[in-house]
Amino acid sequence: MMNLFRMLKLTTWSPPRVLVTGFALIIMIGSFLLYIPAASTNGVSLSYIDALFTAASAVCVTGLVVVDTGTHFTIFGQIVILTLIQLGGLGFMTMATLFAFMLKKRISLRERLILQEAMNQSSIEGIVRLIKKVFIYSVVIELAGAVLFTIRWAFDMPFKQAVYFGIFHSISLFNNAGFDLFGEFRSLTLYAEDPIINITAMLLIILGGIGFVVLSDLLDYKKTRRLSLHSKVVLSMTGVLIMVGAFVVFIFEYTNEATLGLYGLDGKVWTSFFQSVTPRTAGANTLDIASLRQATQFFIIILMFIGASPGSTGSGIKTTTFAILLASVFAMIRGKDDVVLFRMRLAKERILKALTITILSLVFVVSITMVLTTTEDQQFLKILFETTSAFGTVGLSMGITPELTVVGKLLICLAMFVGRLGPLTLAYALKTKKEKTLYRHPEGNLIIG
């Protein structure tokens, strides 16, 4: 791994710059593999912009597609997409570290710093142990999901196809990618009322979205009898967002004959919860998103913008950022000096970082949306939905992805890339070397509100 760094002259680069470059290289390699005729069922090369879009969507674990994955791509093309999803979900540095383990190579301090940035950790302490756990958790969870899917789909298709579908969709859902093989852009709509498919898919999405640190905390709970503040916030916010989301979808869509109105009470409950879980950045759906009422679509935009949790396979501003913002608002309203979560005071640095991430993300989404409204002949809500879905690496769409212009596809690719890495990481990668300020300006007063 260090030989690769030296060859690419990355040893003097900052960790954020290495991550940005690494993800970009993987996308470019993936786009060329999907561009060759062997990747397409008709034997004709996919247009390069569509190959680039698909590769970016896979590496950024988004799931937005311009061609149908199940019918357009050959087994070779689908395996390339699946490999890109796995690389993008776990991160190329995680995979490189696993290869280093197998080759019994020592992980240097610089590589640990890059891993720290990739896993969004506050220190390098225990980072190598965490990477080992990430691999074990991923294999076990994806294997369990594949087995459950295979057993269920063996009743609907030949066993070999059921195994292949089980593996593909388990990896896709755990990595919050949202790619599917059912054809005609249907996702999981054929199984909207199926308890096994719904429960398995939702568990994969949630486990992939809460983050590996939280998974480690939960598995160690019997021994430690405690959860970190991070795990408490992630689990509580995830639970609240899922319950509130399911309630909103159920209420707004109950009488919609194109969505929940198609099902009985059990089906209404299953589809409401699934549509609440999937904006965690998963991208799979059991209802036609374009048929939802505008109020529901806008609410899903909010859920997609919040996204998953830090150190997970998902994106968005993250649940912890949203929790800090809410806690800060409540502290201000109550006249409190400190922002407190679970009886723990948050450092000012954490609050400023949460605010910075939110503002940068909001400005980015608004900017891309404004440009797309001039390049695309689509309704504003559809464009905002598509942009937020790309930035949150969700993959839900109101059906406009294949109709995007070349400029529109490139802008959505950019949104997926920035969303997967995070606007703050990208800003750190682009900035010049940090210089320490040797002075402070005098304090001033500014009227607010």
Side-chain angles (χ1 to χ4, degrees):
M1 185 159 52
M2 278 305 296
N3 290 334
L4 178 62
F5 284 166
R6 292 192 187 99
M7 185 173 63
L8 297 176
K9 298 181 180 180
L10 302 181
T11 51
T12 59
W13 284 16
S14 65
R17 189 170 295 183
V18 173
L19 290 178
V20 170
T21 304
F23 270 96
L25 284 173
I26 293 173
I27 290 173
M28 295 304 296
I29 293 171
S31 67
F32 284 114
L33 290 174
L34 294 176
Y35 177 68
I36 62 177
S40 300
T41 53
N42 58 10
V44 179
S45 294
L46 187 66
S47 68
Y48 183 72
I49 184 64
D50 287 346
L52 177 66
F53 189 99
T54 305
S57 184
V59 174
C60 298
V61 288
T62 305
L64 290 173
V65 291
V66 288
V67 294
D68 186 73
T69 309
T71 56
H72 181 88
F73 291 105
T74 61
I75 297 297
F76 168 76
Q78 292 169 5
I79 291 175
V80 169
I81 291 173
L82 199 62
T83 303
L84 294 176
I85 290 172
Q86 193 71 83
L87 283 171
L90 299 185
F92 77 95
M93 277 303 301
T94 301
M95 302 302 291
T97 303
L98 293 175
F99 282 117
F101 287 152
M102 288 187 281
L103 296 174
K104 297 182 180 180
K105 298 286 186 180
R106 182 178 175 276
I107 310 301
S108 69
L109 175 61
R110 173 160 183 76
E111 291 163 336
R112 290 169 194 260
L113 289 171
I114 298 173
L115 287 170
Q116 175 193 342
E117 182 70 28
M119 298 304 294
N120 201 11
Q121 297 298 295
S122 57
S123 71
I124 63 172
E125 184 181 357
I127 193 68
V128 175
R129 289 195 303 273
L130 177 60
I131 296 302
K132 292 178 181 179
K133 289 180 179 180
V134 165
F135 177 72
I136 295 171
Y137 298 160
S138 299
V139 170
V140 171
I141 294 171
E142 289 174 353
L143 183 60
V147 170
L148 291 173
F149 279 144
T150 298
I151 293 172
R152 172 59 187 87
W153 284 327
F155 291 96
D156 299 340
M157 58 187 72
F159 183 72
K160 287 184 179 180
Q161 185 181 5
V163 171
Y164 178 62
F165 270 49
I167 294 172
F168 187 97
H169 291 91
S170 181
I171 293 175
S172 177
L173 289 170
F174 176 70
N175 287 285
N176 282 210
F179 282 84
D180 72 275
L181 301 177
F182 289 102
E184 300 177 7
F185 303 99
R186 288 181 295 187
S187 191
L188 298 176
T189 53
L190 296 174
Y191 299 94
E193 297 182 278
D194 191 301
I196 295 177
I197 298 299
N198 273 272
I199 292 173
T200 303
M202 286 192 286
L203 283 176
L204 286 169
I205 294 168
I206 293 170
L207 291 174
I210 60 176
F212 295 105
V213 173
V214 177
L215 287 175
S216 180
D217 258 12
L218 290 173
L219 291 174
D220 291 340
Y221 182 75
K222 284 187 178 180
K223 182 171 60 177
T224 61
R225 290 295 174 183
R226 63 181 296 274
L227 292 174
S228 65
L229 173 63
H230 172 79
S231 296
K232 290 178 182 178
V233 172
V234 166
L235 292 173
S236 59
M237 284 306 305
T238 299
V240 168
L241 289 172
I242 290 174
M243 295 303 295
V244 171
F247 178 77
V248 169
V249 174
F250 187 85
I251 295 298
F252 287 168
E253 298 297 319
Y254 191 86
T255 58
N256 187 345
E257 293 300 324
T259 56
L260 293 193
L262 297 170
Y263 308 106
L265 182 59
D266 287 350
K268 285 180 170 65
V269 172
W270 284 122
T271 50
S272 295
F273 270 99
F274 197 95
Q275 264 54 236
S276 176
V277 169
T278 196
R280 299 266 65 75
T281 82
N285 57 285
T286 55
L287 292 177
D288 180 16
I289 301 300
S291 298
L292 296 172
R293 291 193 169 113
Q294 288 189 355
T296 310
Q297 292 168 345
F298 188 74
F299 184 76
I300 289 176
I301 288 174
I302 296 173
L303 293 179
M304 292 191 298
F305 186 73
I306 296 171
S309 302
S312 71
T313 58
S315 300
I317 64 170
K318 306 297 172 58
T319 53
T320 49
T321 301
F322 185 62
I324 291 173
L325 293 178
L326 289 180
S328 300
V329 170
F330 286 131
M332 177 63 69
I333 291 173
R334 297 171 61 189
K336 301 292 185 180
D337 293 329
D338 295 328
V339 176
V340 178
L341 285 170
F342 291 97
R343 299 183 179 181
M344 297 290 287
R345 176 174 54 84
L346 299 180
K348 182 180 178 182
E349 175 194 352
R350 299 289 95 187
I351 300 168
L352 291 176
K353 185 175 182 179
L355 183 62
T356 302
I357 289 172
T358 304
I359 296 298
L360 285 176
S361 301
L362 190 60
V363 169
F364 180 79
V365 169
V366 169
S367 300
I368 295 294
T369 301
M370 289 177 64
V371 177
L372 286 175
T373 56
T374 62
T375 64
E376 312 302 312
D377 184 20
Q378 300 288 346
Q379 296 175 5
F380 172 76
L381 187 61
K382 289 184 178 181
I383 293 175
L384 178 61
F385 194 101
E386 192 85 2
T387 304
T388 310
S389 179
F391 172 76
T393 67
V394 179
L396 293 176
S397 176
M398 292 171 66
I400 70 171
T401 313
E403 302 172 12
L404 293 172
T405 63
V406 172
V407 174
K409 290 174 183 177
L410 290 174
L411 286 172
I412 292 298
C413 282
L414 176 63
M416 292 188 289
F417 188 72
V418 173
R420 181 65 185 96
L421 289 165
L424 205 55
T425 298
L426 197 64
Y428 287 154
L430 296 175
K431 74 174 184 178
T432 56
K433 188 175 180 180
K434 182 179 179 181
E435 294 182 3
K436 187 175 180 181
T437 304
L438 302 177
Y439 59 90
R440 294 183 70 187
H441 293 284
E443 185 176 294
N445 292 319
L446 182 66
I447 300 174
I448 298 176

